[in-house]
Amino acid sequence: MTAGPDATPRAASPVAFLFAAWFVALSVSLAVLFIGEVLGQTPCNLCWFQRAFMFPLAVILGVAAWRADLSIWRYAAPLAVLGGAVALYHSLLYAGIVPAPIVPCTASGPSCTDDAMLILGLPIPLLSLLTFGAILVLLIQLRRIST
């Protein structure tokens, strides 16, 4: 007796996690470029640091997805962790939980505290943190099922 097509769940393909991580990184990179270049919203210093970790992720994850290189998690995960750490610090500053020795978002320069810098009602630093976290979760799943 043979089992029907719904009898056993199929494991997700590791390449699907890789493509998903690349898609997230690419989407966010294009979104912040749109915010900066089209909408004219200049990023603050901490936003620049987060971009410095996100833009390379979009490139290296894209190349890895094209080549089906499942070992990319070794190189991409540290970028996601470091970018996430900057985003966490920025989010804590934004929320007023940690005192700021320097104020990254000020009225005299670029500011993340404007209502114009909310997307779907969430501040950009929090969205950045969620994005780095999502990429890291996808990379962990990639590692888990590819080894």
Side-chain angles (χ1 to χ4, degrees), residues 22-48:
W22 169 68
F23 181 76
V24 170
L26 180 64
S27 299
V28 168
S29 296
L30 293 174
V32 297
L33 286 173
F34 178 81
I35 290 169
E37 300 303 319
V38 176
L39 299 180
Q41 300 289 336
T42 307
C44 71
N45 291 338
L46 289 176
C47 288
W48 275 116

Side-chain angles (χ1 to χ4, degrees), residues 2 21 23 33 54 71 73 93 112 127 133:
T2 61
F23 181 76
L33 286 173
M54 186 59 71
S71 66
W73 64 268
L93 282 175
C112 295
L127 289 172

Side-chain angles (χ1 to χ4, degrees), residues 39-106:
L39 299 180
Q41 300 289 336
T42 307
C44 71
N45 291 338
L46 289 176
C47 288
W48 275 116
F49 286 120
Q50 291 164 67
R51 287 179 178 199
F53 289 107
M54 186 59 71
F55 290 164
L57 277 172
V59 174
I60 67 172
L61 289 172
V63 171
W66 180 53
R67 297 179 48 95
D69 180 3
L70 301 180
S71 66
I72 191 63
W73 64 268
R74 290 180 175 94
Y75 309 105
L79 286 173
V81 167
L82 292 171
V86 174
L88 175 62
Y89 177 69
H90 196 183
S91 296
L92 293 174
L93 282 175
Y94 180 88
I97 295 172
V98 295
I102 56 170
V103 179
C105 303
T106 63

